[in-house]
């Protein structure tokens, strides 16, 4: 950032801004640079580096000042989109700090490692006039179509809850099947029954995932007494997210009741669907047509992005480049070098006009 003529500015939650000289509200580019366990090399980082390169090249060409941001904890080790939610004021620092990672460390404890940095006051949103996030698609649509750019028109909403099913830990050899309160069987029945109950209310774009699950005590000769798991669902429509919330909770309660389990639930994320700024979208579309005529499309983002938290604060939009094979959140995540460079060209062209 310093080499690009930007003042590196980190806030107490690890959001790192590169600020150009002056105080005129300027365009903000960027994304996040934290990653998922076994995450790929481009998710987030591409948007930060492409933003930095456009800010540097624009400055060297005597163009307008451009700021760059790398938001913290987008991937939700502690809080999904946590850094930008705290920065946008939609998640209180106190609540954010109470969140724990799957190893049980709180964000408050993890943030102590930041004390070695020169921490600044939060950068006010009024410093920026618009935000454009460059990102990989993380899905198959561009790659399947042989296209190189997507202009994102809207971002789906997400809800997430953690559940704990408590049955009865017992001997795996002496406990007859009909006497067991096997927490894994409860989780398995929940997952199968949920797929059946959601089928009538979802679309082909709706998704729901049990991505993290642990059994206690997780031993081959012990009937598991406890199952803890995350439940996450996403859709572009708030009404459908609400319907799904009801079905998910009712299904968990019914399985617990029928099998005599204890059931506990904690909500951990709720980010509404967002529309990108229409004027910015047209500006990005113009740049895509100029740089990659006929090889771009408009689309919905099925992944969540920090841009979702900036929509209420300033005109916000996104650009995607293809993910080879649609793979992401995996070491296999990749994008062709030519598409990475072409994406930066579209971002530079758009940044000069929006
Ligand atoms: O899960 C997401 O949508 C984002 O990649 N963290
Ligand atoms: Mn990302
Ligand atoms: Mn991600």
């Amino acid at each position: 950032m310093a080499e690009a003529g930007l003042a590196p500015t980190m806030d107490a939650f690890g959001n790192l801004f590169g600020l150009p000289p002056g105080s005129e509200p300027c365009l903000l580019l960027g994304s996040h640079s934290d990653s998922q366990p076994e995450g790929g090399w481009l998710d987030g980082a591409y948007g930060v580096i492409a933003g930095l390169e456009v800010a540097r090249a624009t400055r060297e060409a005597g163009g307008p000042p451009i700021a760059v941001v790398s938001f913290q904890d987008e991937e939700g080790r502690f809080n999904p989109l946590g850094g930008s939610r705290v920065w946008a004021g939609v998640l209180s620092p106190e609540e954010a700090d109470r969140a724990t990672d799957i190893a049980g460390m709180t964000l408050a404890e993890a943030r102590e490692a930041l004390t070695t940095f020169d921490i600044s006051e939060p950068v006010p949103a009024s410093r920026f006039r618009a935000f454009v996030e460059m990102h990989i698609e993380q899905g198959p649509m561009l790659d399947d179509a042989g296209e190189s750019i997507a202009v994102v028109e809207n971002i789906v909403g997400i809800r997430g809850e953690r559940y704990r099913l408590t049955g009865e830990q017992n001997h795996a050899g002496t406990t007859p099947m009909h006497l067991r309160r096997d927490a894994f069987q409860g989780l398995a029945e929940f997952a199968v029954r949920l797929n059946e109950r959601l089928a009538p209310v979802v679309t082909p774009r709706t998704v729901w995932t049990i991505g993290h699950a642990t059994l206690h005590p997780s031993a081959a000769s012990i009937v598991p007494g406890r199952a803890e798991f995350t439940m996450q669902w996403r859709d572009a429509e708030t009404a459908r997210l609400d319907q799904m919330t009801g079905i998910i909770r009712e299904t968990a309660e019914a399985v617990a009741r029928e099998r005599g389990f204890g059931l506990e639930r904690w909500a951990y994320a709720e980010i509404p669907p967002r529309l990108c700024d229409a004027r910015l979208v047209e500006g990005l579309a113009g740049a895509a047509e100029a740089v990659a005529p006929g090889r771009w499309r408009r689309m919905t983002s099925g992944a969540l992005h920090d841009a979702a938290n900036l929509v209420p604060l300033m005109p916000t939009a996104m650009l995607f480049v293809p993910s080879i094979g649609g793979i992401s959140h995996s070491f296999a995540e990749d994008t062709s070098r030519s598409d990475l460079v072409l994406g930066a060209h579209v971002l530079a062209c758009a940044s000069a006009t929006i």
Side-chain angles (χ1 to χ4, degrees):
M1 284 181 170
E3 286 166 20
L6 303 173
T9 310
M10 184 182 278
D11 69 22
F13 278 78
N15 296 308
L16 177 63
F17 289 84
L19 299 177
S23 56
E24 259 311 283
C26 65
L27 175 64
L28 177 65
L29 304 178
S31 187
H32 62 95
S33 45
D34 64 306
S35 69
Q36 285 283 343
E38 302 196 9
W41 69 294
L42 292 166
D43 179 356
Y46 171 54
V48 177
I49 298 299
L52 207 45
E53 177 56 15
V54 169
R56 184 196 61 75
T58 303
R59 176 173 170 265
E60 286 180 1
I66 292 176
V68 178
V69 64
S70 169
F71 283 115
Q72 185 58 261
D73 197 21
E74 189 277 347
E75 297 290 6
R77 173 183 165 194
F78 296 99
N79 299 286
L81 307 191
S84 58
R85 281 164 70 199
V86 171
W87 184 76
V90 295
L91 174 64
S92 73
E94 298 72 26
E95 186 183 348
D97 264 345
R98 284 197 291 273
T100 57
D101 64 11
I102 53 176
M105 177 185 272
T106 65
L107 176 56
E109 289 159 348
R111 284 199 307 113
E112 280 159 23
L114 289 178
T115 51
T116 57
F117 288 84
D118 177 13
I119 298 296
S120 309
E121 284 306 305
V123 177
S126 57
R127 185 74 172 71
F128 311 115
R129 62 179 178 77
F131 176 56
V132 176
E133 182 169 2
M134 184 91 211
H135 206 282
I136 52 173
E137 179 198 336
Q138 301 183 289
M141 294 173 80
L142 289 174
D143 191 42
D144 285 353
E147 294 165 345
S148 294
I149 288 285
V151 176
V152 176
E153 293 185 308
N154 63 308
I155 305 171
V156 299
I158 187 173
R159 303 222 178 134
E161 294 182 337
R162 287 200 173 101
Y163 283 81
R164 177 184 294 144
L165 276 176
T166 304
E168 182 180 57
Q169 180 173 327
N170 213 328
H171 194 294
T174 57
T175 311
M177 294 307 279
H178 71 286
L179 294 182
R180 292 182 178 200
R181 287 193 292 129
D182 180 333
F184 172 74
Q185 292 294 333
L187 170 52
E189 179 172 359
F190 166 72
V192 169
R193 196 183 294 187
L194 182 63
N195 292 342
E196 291 159 1
R197 290 204 55 200
L198 286 177
V201 306
V202 297
T203 74
R205 300 300 311 274
T206 311
V207 293
W208 58 98
T209 311
I210 298 174
H212 173 76
T214 57
L215 296 175
H216 180 84
S218 193
S221 295
I222 301 179
V223 175
R226 247 192 355 258
E228 299 190 3
F229 57 96
T230 56
M231 185 72 230
Q232 188 192 95
W233 55 110
R234 309 185 193 202
D235 192 83
E237 304 297 333
T238 298
R240 187 171 293 110
L241 288 171
D242 290 341
Q243 264 186 305
M244 296 174 77
T245 302
I247 291 170
I248 289 164
R249 292 179 178 178
E250 284 160 21
T251 305
E253 285 155 11
V255 170
R257 193 173 46 251
E258 292 160 20
R259 286 176 170 261
F261 288 136
L263 176 67
E264 295 161 272
R265 177 186 73 229
W266 302 266
Y268 75 86
E270 177 166 356
I271 297 163
R274 295 293 194 196
L275 278 181
C276 295
D277 178 82
R279 188 186 65 78
L280 277 194
V281 165
E282 292 318 308
L284 297 182
E289 184 57 23
V291 176
R295 284 191 296 131
W296 66 280
R297 68 168 60 198
R298 299 163 187 261
M299 68 185 288
T300 294
S301 174
L304 259 292
H305 298 287
D306 292 309
N309 292 317
L310 275 71
V311 163
L313 300 176
M314 63 189 78
T316 296
M318 292 191 73
L319 284 169
F320 283 165
V321 291
S323 293
I324 296 171
I327 302 293
S328 184
H329 282 189
S330 158
F331 287 144
E333 176 183 284
D334 203 1
T335 299
S336 74
R337 301 308 176 271
S338 57
D339 280 337
L340 292 175
V341 173
L342 185 130
H345 280 163
V346 173
L347 186 64
C349 176
S351 300
T353 54
I354 53 178

